[in-house]
Amino acid sequence: MRDHLRRLMALMGKEFVQVWRDPSSLMIAFVLPVILLFLYGYGVSLDAKDIQLGVALQDTGQEGDGLTAAFLSSPYFTAHVSRNEQALEHQLMAGQLRGLVVIPADFSRRVEAGREPANVQVIADGSETNTANYVQNYSQGVVASWWAKRLLEKGVVNESGPQLVTRIWFNPEVESRNSLIPGALAIIMAIIGTLLTALVVAREWERGTMEALMATPVAITELIAGKLIPYFLLGLVAMLGSVGISVVLFDLPFRGSVPALLLSAGAFLLAALGQGLLISSAARNQFIAAMVALITGFLPAFLLSGFIFEIASMPAPVRLLTRIIPARYLVTNLQTLFLVGDVWSLLLPNVGILLILSAILFFLTARKTVKRLR
């Protein structure tokens, strides 16, 4: 036991010296996460503001003017008011507008009479589905707010019947950044974790030093642990630093605890580093290892982790495939830790699955390494 521990400590010491001598590992561990975090934090947003919207005002009454003013004051729209509906339709077809609101000529008369429904038509550019949804929902919000304000000014309550009351939990401002950045952290760590071990071990294979290591009494488990632990610690430090930047710089709430974060990040890093080790055991040089690591680490994490696209809306075979993507579980855990807190009934099953994936990857790595040496 003492010999095993001594050899493991020697291997870890060798790796730390190699990390110190080779700044590329430190660049990947500490500089790359910060760069990617800035790109995701400032460049990715699902919120829509200043949508170009046309308002075709055919009504000449006070109510029509009031609703038009409500659209003009909305922070979500840059409204262009005109009485020429056809001109606005042309702008919509030309892509200069993303939506068009038509206030009909009898709008004020119907509102003041109160006996007939006063309709407002909303036309959205369907070529941009997300923007079309924003136009529809935001327009509905503007009309509802204007109507509520009008009732309040006239001292009338519930003239138009039942009203929708919406509550949003965990992210009441509906800031997409609050859910995007935790997901982005998972994507970043997927790239970092896979690249770290894939490149470093591939370099050993390329230079022939791996065979020299295997010629010593070092066991394959000791070799894997010696390669894994230094980069595991680097990954944890990088994760803590990225979370700190997210909280301080991007003002994200973090309602979970540090132990829960370390547990989730540690289980994920084991899987990501194990994936990198498996790639490095199969690849013959650093270039191939880097390409395979990027393709198998970044693309599945970005597309199939639920970071951008809802997993529940994916086809059944793709949903099944997402179950072997480690980033899927870290995305869920990080979003929970940031926005909700320590929900252990959700966190622990994901950690368990990550540990199972890690064990499978390490088993395959050990088999592949021994087979290659033979």
Side-chain angles (χ1 to χ4, degrees):
M1 184 63 188
R2 182 176 297 176
D3 291 338
H4 288 296
L5 187 59
R6 184 169 51 82
R7 286 195 292 268
L8 179 59
M9 295 301 292
L11 285 169
M12 290 172 57
K14 168 187 167 299
E15 285 302 322
F16 276 119
V17 170
Q18 187 161 333
V19 167
W20 182 253
R21 288 178 176 174
D22 184 3
S24 64
S25 296
L26 295 175
M27 292 282 288
I28 292 174
F30 298 116
V31 178
L32 190 56
V34 175
I35 295 174
L36 292 175
L37 187 59
F38 271 79
L39 287 176
Y40 280 115
Y42 287 113
V44 179
S45 174
L46 295 182
D47 293 328
K49 292 183 178 179
D50 297 327
I51 299 173
Q52 299 296 316
L53 182 77
V55 178
L57 180 58
Q58 299 172 352
D59 183 43
T60 56
Q62 183 180 0
E63 305 297 346
D65 291 340
L67 183 56
T68 302
F71 276 102
L72 285 170
S73 61
S74 170
Y76 301 107
F77 294 123
T78 299
H80 305 270
V81 182
S82 172
R83 296 192 180 277
N84 188 342
E85 182 180 346
Q86 289 185 342
L88 293 175
E89 287 178 352
H90 285 301
Q91 293 183 42
L92 183 66
M93 287 186 285
Q96 297 170 352
L97 298 177
R98 288 301 181 191
L100 176 60
V101 173
V102 181
I103 302 175
D106 59 348
F107 180 76
S108 292
R109 182 182 62 79
R110 285 174 177 264
V111 169
E112 291 168 356
R115 293 188 296 272
E116 301 174 79
N119 297 324
V120 175
Q121 185 182 25
V122 178
I123 303 170
D125 182 0
S127 62
E128 292 285 343
T129 53
N130 285 335
T131 307
N133 288 329
Y134 291 140
V135 169
Q136 184 181 14
N137 294 331
Y138 292 168
S139 297
Q140 188 176 5
V142 170
V143 173
S145 299
W146 168 78
W147 184 252
K149 183 180 178 183
R150 177 184 177 277
L151 292 181
L152 185 64
E153 290 174 350
K154 292 183 176 298
V156 181
V157 180
N158 287 338
E159 185 181 86
S160 60
Q163 298 180 10
L164 294 178
V165 179
T166 305
R167 284 186 69 191
I168 300 184
W169 284 13
F170 312 132
N171 187 12
E173 299 86 5
V174 201
E175 287 281 349
S176 63
R177 176 179 290 181
N178 290 349
S179 62
L180 279 179
I181 289 183
L185 286 177
I187 307 302
I188 293 169
M189 296 315 298
I191 301 171
I192 304 305
T194 311
L195 267 179
L196 276 175
T197 44
L199 285 180
V200 172
V201 182
R203 188 181 306 137
E204 297 264 15
W205 287 112
E206 208 171 65
R207 295 174 179 172
T209 52
M210 184 62 81
E211 285 84 352
L213 273 176
M214 295 302 294
T216 66
V218 172
I220 189 66
T221 52
E222 295 169 350
L223 184 62
I224 291 176
K227 290 288 181 187
L228 178 73
I229 294 174
Y231 299 106
F232 178 80
L233 296 176
L234 282 179
L236 281 184
V237 174
M239 170 62 87
L240 289 174
S242 299
V243 170
I245 291 174
S246 303
V247 172
V248 174
L249 190 60
F250 298 115
D251 199 24
L252 255 67
F254 184 79
R255 301 188 175 106
S257 63
V258 173
L261 172 66
L262 291 176
L263 182 65
S264 300
F268 173 78
L269 280 172
L270 287 176
L273 294 171
Q275 184 178 344
L277 283 174
L278 181 59
I279 292 170
S280 63
S281 297
R284 294 186 178 277
N285 59 57
Q286 295 181 69
F287 178 76
I288 294 176
M291 292 299 103
V292 175
L294 283 175
I295 292 171
T296 61
F298 171 70
L299 287 181
F302 188 80
L303 297 174
L304 303 178
S305 65
F307 168 53
I308 296 292
F309 307 107
E310 183 65 37
I311 292 177
S313 63
M314 296 178 183
V318 180
R319 285 205 304 273
L320 190 62
L321 180 63
T322 63
R323 295 186 180 278
I324 62 170
I325 307 298
R328 165 186 173 157
Y329 306 101
L330 185 62
V331 167
T332 304
N333 278 17
L334 286 182
Q335 288 176 339
T336 304
L337 288 170
F338 269 93
L339 299 177
V340 184
D342 292 346
V343 185
W344 291 107
S345 60
L346 186 150
L347 299 177
L348 290 180
N350 288 341
V351 170
I353 294 173
L354 286 171
L355 292 177
I356 292 172
L357 290 175
S358 306
I360 294 172
L361 288 167
F362 290 137
F363 173 75
L364 293 176
T365 302
R367 291 288 301 271
K368 183 70 180 175
T369 304
V370 172
K371 185 178 178 181
R372 183 169 180 177
L373 286 171
R374 287 175 180 169

